[in-house]
Every structure is written in C-alpha cells, then in structure tokens.
Amino acid sequence: MNKKVAVILSGCGVYDGSEIYESVVTLLRLDQRGAKVQCFAPEIEQMHVINHLTGEEMPERRSVLIEAARLARGEIKPLAQARAEDFDALILPGGFGAAKNLCNFATQGPDCQVNPEVLALTQAFAQAGKPIGLMCIAPTMATHIFGTGVTLTLGSDEADAAAAVRQMGAEHQACAVDDIVVDHKHKLVTTPAYMLAQTISEAAAGINKLVDQVLEMTEAR
C-alpha cells in the first residue's frame, strides 16, 4: 500500500515562506517513492513579505496558504483540515517561513511559540507514534512537539540556532549537509538542508535520505 504523507508548507520563498528547492525536492522524492502526498498550510498572514531580489521588506500583506499554493500547484488545503489519523507520516520543509509563520523562532529564539494549528497537528502525529521529518530551520520546533531530550540537527554544532535549541532542552548533533540525524525514540528525522547547503544537489542528498528514512519508519509501526 502506498504511504500517505502530509507536508506542511509555510508560504513560498526562502526569506518569508517555505524554501522552494527544499519543498520541491521533498515532493519529488515522495513521488519517486510512490507516496500519496497532501500539502497543507495555515490560513494566516505571513509575518512579513520580503522582496527576494533585494532582500528588503515590502509594504504588502500575503496569505501563507495562498502563497504556499504556488508550490503545490494549487493542490493544498488549510491546515485546520489536516487530521493525523489520515496519514502515515508528516514532513516540514524549511525556509524562514518555518521560523516566521509556523512559529516565531526568527524573532523570539529559544522563547518562541509554535502556531497552535501547527502544534496540534505535529503533536498528534508524535502521540500516535507516526514519524515526522523536519529540515533546515524547522527542527527548532522539536521541543514544543516532543518535549525536552529530543535529538535533532540544524547542521553545525557551533551555530547560534544550535545553541538556542540546546537552551530549549534539545540534544543537538552536528551533521553533514548530505546526512540525517534520527531520533528513533521520538521517530524524528532531521537534516540540515540549506542551513549548510551551497547547492541544490547538496540539499537534495540529505532531503532524499530524510524522506527515505521517514517512509522506512512507517513500516515499523
């Protein structure tokens, strides 16, 4: 039977939404592995809108769901409609949207809070023993989902983000761009992706391993 995987997106674009390459590579690998995918995004406004040409903030307001629909070719649903019991696994790509729209780690660091809909769904997967994949900056939400003691990676052990998640109670492991860290107890898989990647190929190497490991973990349930 083909596995059903939910993917949570946070907009469209590295600086204010989901990282596009990470999202596309994730969706491609899931398709290659025969998984049935449904994308979701919270029906909220982005924290802000960034001009991806100049890096400057723009005087606009945009919907996370509508922007994420660009990545999903319109095949996306509001996060409020997602139910953990309908899926075998959950994956969250990175991009600053994960730290700005799905939670507020970008502004609050270790004192961050997770969007209530995101938190409810991710905790439902965790409590059901269903595997979760978090990439790039998304693992900063892990202690909110699983509690303290969860093992994860953000890439370099010396990075400010790594220090922040340790302060939040996570066990951080350094990890190469093309590798993954697996917390078997919590069924969490993480990879650095563009926390370290310099090319799409580097990011894809770790993302493909993450997707493969998440799907493998669904077989163990």
Side-chain angles (χ1 to χ4, degrees):
M1 179 186 295
N2 292 344
K3 298 299 179 179
K4 296 179 180 179
V5 180
V7 175
I8 300 179
L9 301 175
S10 59
C12 183
V14 58
Y15 299 126
D16 57 14
S18 287
E19 211 294 319
I20 294 174
Y21 290 172
E22 290 180 8
S23 303
V24 172
V25 170
T26 297
L27 296 173
L28 173 60
R29 188 59 173 177
L30 286 167
D31 184 64
Q32 290 173 335
R33 292 296 307 273
K36 183 177 180 181
V37 178
Q38 177 62 59
C39 292
F40 295 94
E43 201 166 6
I44 58 174
E45 284 190 4
Q46 294 183 182
M47 181 185 123
H48 59 191
V49 179
I50 299 296
N51 181 326
H52 280 61
L53 184 62
T54 65
E56 297 175 353
E57 188 171 348
M58 300 172 66
E60 294 185 17
R61 300 167 68 179
R62 296 188 186 181
S63 160
V64 171
L65 178 62
I66 291 173
E67 290 300 294
R70 297 174 181 270
L71 278 170
R73 295 175 59 86
E75 295 296 325
I76 194 166
K77 295 180 180 180
L79 186 59
Q81 296 181 15
R83 292 157 43 98
E85 53 264 42
D86 294 336
F87 298 93
D88 300 295
L90 175 67
I91 296 179
L92 280 69
F96 278 107
K100 293 178 177 180
N101 303 326
L102 303 187
C103 73
N104 58 4
F105 180 82
T107 58
Q108 302 302 313
D111 296 321
C112 70
Q113 296 297 316
V114 179
N115 170 277
E117 289 182 352
V118 175
L119 185 60
L121 185 66
T122 53
Q123 286 184 335
F125 272 87
Q127 290 164 6
K130 296 181 177 182
I132 297 176
L134 303 174
M135 63 190 68
C136 191
I137 196 68
T140 55
M141 293 181 272
T143 56
H144 288 275
I145 299 168
F146 299 99
T148 59
V150 63
T151 300
L152 57 86
T153 191
L154 292 161
S156 171
D157 206 35
E158 304 302 319
D160 290 343
V165 295
R166 284 195 295 268
Q167 185 177 338
M168 294 162 71
E171 298 289 337
H172 185 270
Q173 288 187 7
C175 180
V177 65
D178 61 349
D179 209 352
I180 58 176
V181 167
V182 182
D183 182 330
H184 290 281
K185 176 183 176 182
H186 295 100
K187 293 191 175 179
L188 172 66
V189 187
T190 54
T191 191
Y194 273 99
M195 295 295 283
L196 295 178
Q198 299 298 311
T199 67
I200 188 172
S201 295
E202 285 186 350
I207 293 169
N208 288 343
K209 287 182 180 178
L210 179 147
V211 170
D212 290 349
Q213 181 64 44
V214 165
L215 292 176
E216 181 178 324
M217 286 175 134
T218 66
E219 301 290 347
R221 292 189 67 247

